[in-house]
Amino acid sequence: MENTVTIIDNRTGKQYTFTDTHDTIRAMDLRNIKVAPDDFGMMSYDPAFMNTASCESRITFIDGDKGILRYRGYDIADLAERCSFPQVAYLVIHGELPDAEQEREWLAALRIHMGIFENIKKFMEGFRYDAHPMGMLVSTLAALSTFYPDSRHVRDHETQMHCIRRIIGKIPIIAAYGYRHSKGLDYISPEPKLGYAENFMHMLWDRSPLEHLKHPVLARALDVLFILHIDHEQNCSTNAMRAVGSSEADPFLSIAGAAAALAGPLHGGANEEVLKMLDEIGSIDNIPAFIQGVKEGHHKLMGFGHRVYKNYDPRARIIKRTAEEVFEVTGRNKKIDLAMELERIALADEYFVSRKLYPNVDFYSGIIYEAMGLEAKMFTVLFAIPRAVGWLAQWQELINDPAQKIARPRQIYTGYERRKLPDSYTYGAPSEESLAYTR
Ligand code: CMC
């Protein structure tokens, strides 16, 4: 009876024994629990997937109570300190770190895909000058699907790898062009011989007043920030990637769905919101009143709290260190002092302590990005570039997992019983009177 769970149905007195694998019982087994043979059977109800595993995964491990994050078994702190973004991207996609030859091939393969069609540039020129960069990114990723019809063969391994390399190569270009577009600047072609983060900075700042920001210390800081954001197991956007991908939509369409999910302020959009919040608070003197407002439910402390971490987010710790290195080059962003004081006060307050609310990755990232010359509107795009790697690894894992099928949750219907349509409804062309109606 070891590794089993027994449930007694008090409605019938029947006993059901389920196998427990990884501390989990299969939701489909619950369907055996029935009052009568023609009964549909028991379901589990779990809005927001608070306690439902939707897949088995070998990519990312998080222990939220201990504040642990690992990609493919390696601690995030070690990867951030000793590896480059492309190396970690290779690890997350392939499962192992690259040797020297594999790394050369990987970089060469990404370089080949660092370019976009002229039509895509024209497509991007169509956005309004004040279009949000995330809106531009989401739409352009979806538009890429029309350029690569071969990407529909999602079950073919070579196609999968080709799409993965294409997207990782192209996403920084789309992001940089979105930025340049919003500034009214001409697009700068990628310089594939540069490192991944360096090339991104080149496309952002070349031939602009911010050219001095193409600094090696800042490029390494961006590289580290990219590593920290690569994957975070089954978060909202990854779940969107898997849900869209499960219909066998091509990976460009699936990733557009994932990026759209990331854009919300409760997810990747939080980094932009943190900066707005710090601007609103303005000075250290105003923190107690702001915290009181949070406790009274008037607003949230953005950049705090996490569905999984109930301890310090290990990424926030690394980001704080990286911030100091960036400030040595750029000068100190005063908002860091405000943020650190906010954190100190919050972490000593019963409201935050009892709810286990700690700073998450977004609390400090925006402050560094701002010091690096990037404005708040771009922050979520900076999250999306590296997260594309995680989304793609998760998408490939999903497609190749025989246990997976199209994602299709159940519902508990609580609407009307059958109703009769009123007799006044008979189909016909709209009357002249209704067509002429204006408010
Ligand atoms: N400020 C104030 N109270 C909060 C906060 C916050 N940031 N986060 C959670 N709480 C409270 C919440 O009101 C609830 O209180 P009560 O039990 O009295 O009702 C309790 O803490 C539990 O919160 P929850 O809303 O049930 O937690 P969740 O797992 O559904 O939400 C979250 C997680 C990240 C959406 C939420 O913490 C939040 O909105 N944080 C601010 C936005 C943010 O920083 N998001 C970035 C997340 S990390 C990076 C990423 O995933 O993109």
Side-chain angles (χ1 to χ4, degrees), residues 114 118 121 173 177 186-192 199 202-203 206-207:
M114 285 191 180
E118 285 300 313
K121 287 189 197 164
I173 304 176
Y177 286 6
D186 58 340
Y187 300 157
I188 299 293
S189 300
E191 187 46 81
N199 176 47
H202 159 78
M203 290 186 290
D206 203 50
R207 303 210 301 267

Side-chain angles (χ1 to χ4, degrees), residues 69 71 76 79-81 83-85 88 197 201 217-231 271 315-323 325-326 360-372 374 379 382-387:
L69 168 61
Y71 300 154
I76 190 69
L79 293 169
E81 194 172 319
C83 300
S84 69
F85 170 73
V88 184
M201 289 173 136
V217 171
L218 303 190
R220 175 57 184 151
L222 190 58
D223 199 65
V224 169
L225 284 160
F226 279 175
I227 292 172
L228 300 184
H229 284 90
I230 286 180
D231 194 53
N271 49 17
R315 302 168 299 175
R317 211 185 299 277
I318 300 167
I319 288 189
K320 257 164 95 175
R321 253 200 335 264
T322 309
E325 289 160 22
V326 168
N360 59 52
V361 69
D362 290 321
F363 193 63
Y364 287 104
S365 62
I367 297 172
I368 311 191
Y369 291 140
E370 193 180 63
M372 290 165 79
L374 287 151
F379 295 171
L382 291 160
F383 190 153
I385 295 170
R387 182 55 60 89

